[in-house]
Amino acid sequence: MSSENAKKKSKGCVIITGASAGVGRACARRFAKNGYDVGLIARGKEGLEAAVKEAVEFGVNAAYYEADVANYEEVESAALFFQEKLGFVIFWINNAMTSVFSPVRKMEPQEYKRVTDVTYLGQVHGALVALKLMNEQNKGSIVFVGSALAYRGIPLQSAYCAAKHATKGFVDSLRTELLHDKSNINISMVQLPALNTTQFGFVKTRLPKKPRPMGKIYQPEVAAEAILYAAENTPREIKVGVSTIKTIIGNKIAPWYADRVLAKSGIEGQQTNEPEDSNRPNNLWKPIPGDHGAHGAFNDQALVSSTVLRLRMHGKLIIWIAISIIIVVFVLIFL
């Protein structure tokens, strides 16, 4: 565990799970840059230490706690530690995940259980703990990190897709209860596209070639920007990237067509041309040692921004600009 003294007034404390690498690591930097103290949860000590070091460079307090989100008691202990060190938890970001790239017929029952325990129940555990903390002052925001795959299952990722589907169902149920109770605690779900994160070099895989993100790829900082916006503005849901919107809408209109497209291209589309080492380490059961940062191996293919996200974040401003232009044009022409 580690912490640093704040150099400027904090906006509040945010807890981020899965914070040692990938999207969680990008979130740690983005929230710290925006003036929030950050409490970081993950299993990998080296990544957590590096994430804390990066965060305090923005002049905020940062602390880490080694915990496996599949274990409720560990998540609860982490939260109490952060509450004591950093104060009231205003935001909780449920981001931790794990996966297995494998055909269903080759999956083991314990692998399904592990992915479910981390990727689905990890978010449930986070929500239960966050609600306990936030109920004291009846305020706060919980962000659930989802995926286009919360709406559409794809080949080779059955465990992950099922976990994201389950998370969406949980979020819908929780939201109605909070509305019924007239609670001031808000929840949002951010549905992400394919991202250039470290997971493709970490996850357990049975593929003959190295796994890769399928379709249009975005940098994890795009996801972090969306998650910060969701925490601060509490929309019901944010769909990041045009590929996410196409996937969700397309599956609603013609799921049978998506079945055929994915059957034809979904296997090869999730593999590079490089052979995979069947004995390489994976992070399904324990973290891979070292600091791995936020980015994966696809920097040259990844987009650094999302037009869809910018429109969502600045929609009102764009509408007012458009109205102003129309008024000016009208005045110039007719007056």
Side-chain angles (χ1 to χ4, degrees):
M1 302 173 192
S2 174
S3 65
E4 294 286 344
N5 292 325
K7 299 175 184 176
K8 60 184 179 183
K9 186 176 180 180
S10 170
K11 293 182 177 180
C13 171
V14 52
I15 295 179
I16 304 167
T17 69
S20 62
V23 170
R25 183 69 168 269
C27 282
R29 288 197 294 255
R30 188 63 189 88
F31 277 88
K33 182 179 180 180
N34 215 46
Y36 294 97
D37 292 338
V38 292
L40 309 178
I41 298 175
R43 297 174 300 164
K45 183 177 181 179
E46 295 94 334
L48 285 170
E49 288 176 335
V52 164
K53 184 177 179 180
E54 291 174 349
V56 298
E57 290 177 357
F58 291 103
V60 301
N61 273 334
Y64 73 81
Y65 195 102
E66 294 173 68
D68 186 339
V69 296
N71 185 312
Y72 174 82
E73 287 74 22
E74 290 185 16
V75 177
E76 186 174 44
S77 294
L80 294 175
F81 168 76
F82 292 134
Q83 189 174 46
E84 180 180 348
K85 287 283 185 180
L86 303 175
F88 176 72
V89 177
I90 189 170
F91 300 147
W92 185 293
I93 312 302
N94 280 315
N95 166 73
M97 56 76 63
T98 192
S99 185
V100 178
F101 280 82
S102 171
V104 171
R105 65 181 182 275
K106 294 184 179 181
M107 289 284 291
E108 299 291 339
Q110 64 268 27
E111 293 170 345
Y112 277 112
K113 185 178 186 306
R114 177 60 179 167
V115 174
T116 302
D117 285 347
V118 175
T119 308
Y120 167 54
L121 289 178
Q123 301 219 39
V124 174
H125 294 162
L128 293 175
V129 172
L131 288 170
K132 283 185 179 180
L133 298 180
M134 295 174 181
N135 276 335
E136 296 177 8
Q137 298 188 30
N138 189 29
K139 66 178 181 179
S141 177
I142 306 171
V143 179
F144 297 82
V145 177
S147 166
L149 306 187
Y151 286 84
R152 171 71 230 188
I154 64 174
L156 303 179
Q157 293 199 62
S158 57
Y160 179 81
C161 293
K164 290 301 185 183
H165 273 70
T167 301
K168 184 180 181 303
F170 173 79
V171 169
D172 289 343
S173 294
L174 175 58
R175 180 181 293 110
T176 58
E177 292 182 15
L178 292 173
L179 287 170
H180 173 270
D181 295 341
K182 295 181 173 56
S183 173
N184 291 322
I185 300 171
N186 296 288
I187 63 173
S188 300
M189 191 166 183
V190 179
Q191 311 296 6
L192 298 178
L195 296 168
N196 174 39
T197 64
T198 54
Q199 68 155 313
F200 298 95
F202 283 3
V203 296
K204 184 171 184 177
T205 176
R206 295 189 176 90
L207 306 183
K209 297 178 181 178
K210 291 182 179 181
R212 59 154 289 151
M214 185 174 178
K216 193 182 292 288
I217 306 171
Y218 295 83
Q219 294 288 24
E221 286 78 14
V222 177
E225 191 69 34
I227 292 166
L228 172 66
Y229 179 82
E232 292 185 329
N233 296 277
T234 65
R236 184 180 190 278
E237 184 177 75
I238 296 180
K239 301 175 181 69
V240 181
V242 67
S243 55
T244 299
I245 293 176
K246 286 170 61 178
T247 297
I248 294 172
I249 294 177
N251 191 63
K252 287 183 177 180
I253 295 173
W256 55 269
Y257 180 72
D259 292 343
R260 294 181 180 276
V261 170
L262 288 165
K264 182 178 181 180
S265 62
I267 306 294
E268 293 78 9
Q270 295 184 78
Q271 299 181 75
T272 69
N273 294 322
E274 300 178 53
E276 181 60 284
D277 177 5
S278 59
N279 296 316
R280 74 155 170 80
N282 67 77
N283 71 346
L284 185 62
W285 303 105
K286 59 183 180 180
I288 297 174
D291 172 28
H292 305 280
H295 288 200
F298 305 95
N299 278 322
D300 58 334
Q301 303 172 47
L303 301 173
V304 298
S305 65
S306 164
T307 301
V308 168
L309 177 60
R310 288 201 302 270
L311 289 173
R312 176 61 187 270
M313 293 172 61
H314 306 294
K316 292 182 179 179
L317 175 61
I318 292 172
I319 291 172
W320 279 112
I321 291 174
I323 292 173
S324 299
I325 292 173
I326 291 172
I327 292 173
V328 170
V329 170
F330 180 84
V331 169
L332 291 175
I333 294 176
F334 297 103
L335 298 180

